[in-house]
Amino acid sequence: MELRAADAEFFWTARRRRYWRTCRRKYFLYYYAAQGGADPFAPRALRELYALKKAISLDAYVRRLVNLALRECFYAPVDEEMPETPLSEIFPVAARRAGWEFQQMLEGKTPLRLLELLQEKSSPTEIHRQMMEKLDFFCHQVTRNVWQSLAAIPPCDRRPIESPLALSIAELKCFLVPVIAVHRAGDIWLLESTGERDAGNEIAVLGKFAAAQRWGTLPQQVRSFILQGDEGLFAEVGADADVSEVLRGIRRDVGEMCQAIGEDGFVREENFPADTTACEGCRFRTFCRRQD
């Protein structure tokens, strides 16, 4: 299989680096081979590959629901006549979205899919039950541990920010997915949607660039946090990150990724070898020719 590299926009994200370092065949299937699979007239195999690319695990989906509910409630318009009105609780907001999106998935009206729904003999009723249980638990943890402190932040200190957020570092395009941004004691605090600590330094450094480009904030005035696990607690990441070293690491990875592209501008499956130690649980097992 070979494809034109130019047909797939190149950008850096923590997920891209994780796939690159975990299994390069998985990287190829996700970022290149699934291109065009959204076309309803594409070959069946390509549409199936694209569906796997867009699929999300139940745990990751619950985290997404909580992040979106946090964002929606935090930035809800304030009643000027009643500025002290409490913010909405996050569980009803998250549950409303979950119900609507789950039905859309079952009817095939959204590219979003749960990996669990794609498995043979899956039970939508059981998956929905598990989803709501996990969502209720996670929202309860967030409400108990951080929501009241967020809700107490004055509207004037809430800084709207796009999500996902594209930013450029020289010629390199990168993405962050911030949930919220706040101004606290002269600093900008960014809450990132990922819960992966292994990308903490990169998240923090990109957050510094994003804050500088948007608000002119100095690097030492930017702090980045993630919502840790299912505990509903903020964890600061990248507090001691070396900006130069992080950027060198990103560019090193990008250089390796680009070297896998042929001089003629094509990407070829055989140039992205499979790591057979990472096969267990991989969504692309049915499409991967591991013997190459």
Side-chain angles (χ1 to χ4, degrees), residues 1-12 16 19-20 23-38 46 49-50 53 253-262 265-272 284:
M1 182 188 298
E2 63 177 30
L3 301 153
R4 282 173 46 87
D7 291 340
E9 181 184 18
F10 189 91
F11 51 85
W12 187 93
R16 189 172 197 132
Y19 280 16
W20 176 256
C23 176
R24 298 189 179 183
R25 181 62 53 81
K26 181 177 183 179
Y27 172 95
F28 169 81
L29 291 169
Y30 187 94
Y31 288 100
Y32 292 106
Q35 292 295 315
L46 181 56
L49 179 59
Y50 181 79
K53 170 182 175 173
D253 284 340
V254 169
E256 292 177 359
M257 294 171 189
C258 291
Q259 285 177 5
I261 299 172
F266 280 83
V267 286
R268 296 176 174 84
E269 187 174 7
E270 60 268 22
N271 292 335
F272 297 82
F284 296 123

Side-chain angles (χ1 to χ4, degrees), residues 6 21 24 26 28 45 66-67 72 76 118 183 208 237 240 255 267 276-277 280 289:
R21 293 183 177 181
R24 298 189 179 183
K26 181 177 183 179
F28 169 81
V66 173
N67 284 328
E72 180 178 338
L118 297 178
H183 184 257
K208 294 179 187 299
V237 293
D240 300 319
V267 286
T276 55
T277 66
E280 186 176 356
R289 298 184 298 166

